[in-house]
Amino acid sequence: MNNIAVVYQSHYGTTKKYAEWIAQALDADLLNRKKVSVSELSQYGMIIYGGGLYAGGLLGIDLVSKSKFKHLVVFTVGLADPKIMDYSEIMAKAFPNQAYQHDQVYHFRGGINYQKLTFLHRGLMTLLKKTVEKKSDSEISAEGKAILETYGKKIDFTYKEMISPLTSYVKEVLV
């Protein structure tokens, strides 16, 4: 067992892709959130948790947000451009206990393929699009703009180079 665990939860694969890249770059164990327990994670010196952003929340974050680890790094994967997206509400919701927080958070841009969405997710995206379209341009958030720009398309914004700040940070901490 390595000293680092990269744990992820992904619906459609972009979060998993980033988790695989991070695990490979750090020679870390790669673990699916649905198949691991908090007690198993407590054996690691550092946990890197990745989850997709859905409906204003971070997928599967409860696994790590309610437990204390020596080091916890979090990464999110969403459709909106991280350079213009405000994640403060999402992270406050993910970590409501102010006594325990993550070491660092990184935000990566994922992708979407409407052909692979479940019926439910396709319906939700249609509702979101209609809601966003009713707003004036000045009222549309970065997430809303991403929905309008990508609706109905197959888009992949994942880039391996995006993990570099995260992996550099982890290497510095564990030296």
Side-chain angles (χ1 to χ4, degrees), residues 68-80:
K68 184 129 176 87
F69 300 102
K70 184 175 179 181
H71 292 286
L72 174 64
V73 173
V74 175
F75 70 92
T76 69
V77 180
L79 196 53

Side-chain angles (χ1 to χ4, degrees), residues 4-88:
I4 306 169
V6 178
V7 184
Y8 70 92
Q9 186 166 346
S10 182
H11 270 314
Y12 297 103
T14 55
T15 303
K16 181 180 181 183
K17 185 189 293 189
Y18 280 113
E20 289 171 340
W21 287 337
I22 292 165
Q24 181 182 27
L26 297 171
D27 191 28
D29 291 341
L30 180 66
L31 306 169
N32 185 322
R33 185 255 183 255
K34 293 181 179 181
K35 297 178 181 176
V36 69
S37 68
V38 172
S39 62
E40 290 172 286
L41 295 180
S42 66
Q43 301 172 37
Y44 290 91
M46 176 169 285
I47 305 298
I48 302 170
Y49 183 82
L53 297 172
Y54 293 93
L58 183 53
L59 193 61
I61 194 66
D62 60 313
L63 177 73
V64 296
S65 68
K66 297 175 183 173
S67 302
K68 184 129 176 87
F69 300 102
K70 184 175 179 181
H71 292 286
L72 174 64
V73 173
V74 175
F75 70 92
T76 69
V77 180
L79 196 53
D81 185 346
K83 294 175 189 161
I84 58 173
M85 177 74 178
D86 179 6
Y87 296 94
S88 55

Side-chain angles (χ1 to χ4, degrees), residues 61 64-65 72 74 91-98 100-102:
I61 194 66
V64 296
S65 68
L72 174 64
V74 175
M91 296 313 296
K93 184 177 165 185
F95 290 91
N97 182 356
Q98 295 299 317
Y100 175 62
Q101 292 289 318
H102 41 73

Side-chain angles (χ1 to χ4, degrees), residues 72-154:
L72 174 64
V73 173
V74 175
F75 70 92
T76 69
V77 180
L79 196 53
D81 185 346
K83 294 175 189 161
I84 58 173
M85 177 74 178
D86 179 6
Y87 296 94
S88 55
E89 285 183 38
I90 293 169
M91 296 313 296
K93 184 177 165 185
F95 290 91
N97 182 356
Q98 295 299 317
Y100 175 62
Q101 292 289 318
H102 41 73
D103 295 351
Q104 289 285 323
V105 179
Y106 299 87
H107 304 288
F108 304 135
R109 198 161 190 195
I112 195 163
N113 181 348
Y114 277 81
Q115 300 300 316
K116 291 189 176 185
L117 295 181
T118 64
F119 178 76
L120 175 63
H121 286 161
R122 230 181 354 264
L124 289 172
M125 292 304 290
T126 300
L127 286 173
L128 282 171
K129 178 183 177 262
K130 289 179 181 182
T131 301
V132 171
E133 287 175 327
K134 292 178 184 177
K135 296 180 178 185
S136 69
D137 287 346
S138 62
E139 295 175 308
I140 299 175
S141 67
E143 189 175 29
K145 289 176 183 174
I147 290 168
L148 293 178
E149 291 168 1
T150 62
Y151 185 81
K153 300 175 183 173
K154 178 181 179 183

